[in-house]
Amino acid sequence: MMPDFYELLKVAETASFEEIKGSYKQLILQCHPDKLQQHDVTDPNREFLGEEERRDQNLSDFNAINEAWNTLKDPIKRKHYDAELLQSKFQAHSNIYAHITTSDMESIQLEVTEDGGEADGDADADKETATVWTYAYECRCGGQYLLDEARALDESTEQSGLVTSDAIVECSECSLVIVVKPSPTMSE
């Protein structure tokens, strides 16, 4: 799992730039190598055992705090980091039912009304319906995971050198999700 820069800087994920900056300044002073050397010289009661390990740990903390600050201070880097962190947390979450490919899903037709809902017979008789292709996968609860064909193609084909990506699809009935990986035949 990737490092949690928010936890490292002791701020919430919703923290403003000013909150992150203030916490960074406070933490960096606590583990700055020059500041610690001054403290070591003025403290006659310091322990000599493990001094090198302590300095290595402080330097490691210093570098990690700087890395966190350099990522979170830039709005674009922060946005990318937030997306990666969310994906990382989601991958580690226990509500994933399965990891499948689009070739594991069944291709079905759905009739959809013009307002986006499924056609219900007489109640929607005066509304126009359209037929769309979608991929379906059965959930253990009896619900379905539905992935429309356009989304499946957009997320599973390589376009101008972009890396293929996974789609996370929620069950229509429960809180479980599936991770749909591109089919090997679709990315060729």
Side-chain angles (χ1 to χ4, degrees):
M1 189 150 175
M2 66 188 307
D4 188 337
F5 290 158
Y6 295 103
E7 187 176 308
L8 188 62
L9 292 178
K10 299 180 181 175
V11 294
E13 290 182 19
T14 57
S16 68
F17 173 79
E18 293 301 321
E19 291 171 318
I20 294 171
K21 183 178 177 181
S23 182
Y24 162 75
K25 285 183 174 184
Q26 182 182 11
L27 291 168
I28 208 69
L29 285 175
Q30 293 174 4
C31 65
H32 195 282
D34 293 340
K35 192 79 164 171
L36 293 171
Q37 282 180 340
Q38 290 174 0
H39 180 69
D40 287 347
V41 170
T42 60
D43 185 5
N45 297 324
R46 73 175 194 269
E47 291 184 26
F48 289 101
L49 297 175
E51 185 175 327
E52 189 172 322
E53 291 85 12
R54 186 173 46 93
R55 284 186 187 167
D56 288 345
Q57 180 62 44
N58 287 334
L59 184 60
S60 175
D61 291 347
F62 177 79
N63 290 334
I65 290 169
N66 271 323
E67 181 184 4
W69 169 244
N70 287 330
T71 299
L72 298 181
K73 73 178 180 181
D74 181 313
I76 294 171
K77 287 182 182 177
R78 183 177 179 180
K79 188 174 183 178
H80 287 293
Y81 172 78
D82 287 346
E84 289 176 13
L85 183 63
L86 181 63
Q87 182 71 18
S88 171
K89 287 179 178 178
F90 198 74
Q91 291 289 336
H93 208 285
S94 62
N95 69 339
I96 297 176
Y97 174 57
H99 292 264
I100 64 170
T101 63
T102 50
S103 60
D104 296 327
M105 299 181 84
E106 179 183 352
S107 183
I108 62 170
Q109 283 185 333
L110 283 180
E111 287 191 18
V112 179
T113 61
E114 70 180 40
D115 68 348
E118 290 187 35
D120 291 335
D122 294 339
D124 295 322
D126 58 337
K127 294 184 179 179
E128 286 190 37
T129 60
T131 302
V132 294
W133 284 93
T134 188
Y135 290 97
Y137 190 79
E138 296 293 323
C139 181
R140 68 180 182 205
C141 74
Q144 286 189 322
Y145 301 95
L146 298 175
L147 179 67
D148 64 78
E149 188 174 66
R151 182 175 166 205
L153 292 174
D154 287 344
E155 293 187 0
S156 65
T157 58
E158 290 182 354
Q159 298 173 357
S160 58
L162 293 176
V163 179
T164 59
S165 62
D166 298 347
I168 298 169
V169 183
E170 298 175 340
C171 176
S172 60
E173 299 292 324
C174 70
S175 63
L176 294 176
V177 297
I178 57 171
V179 177
V180 182
K181 298 181 179 299
S183 294
T185 57
M186 293 185 77
S187 62
E188 294 174 349

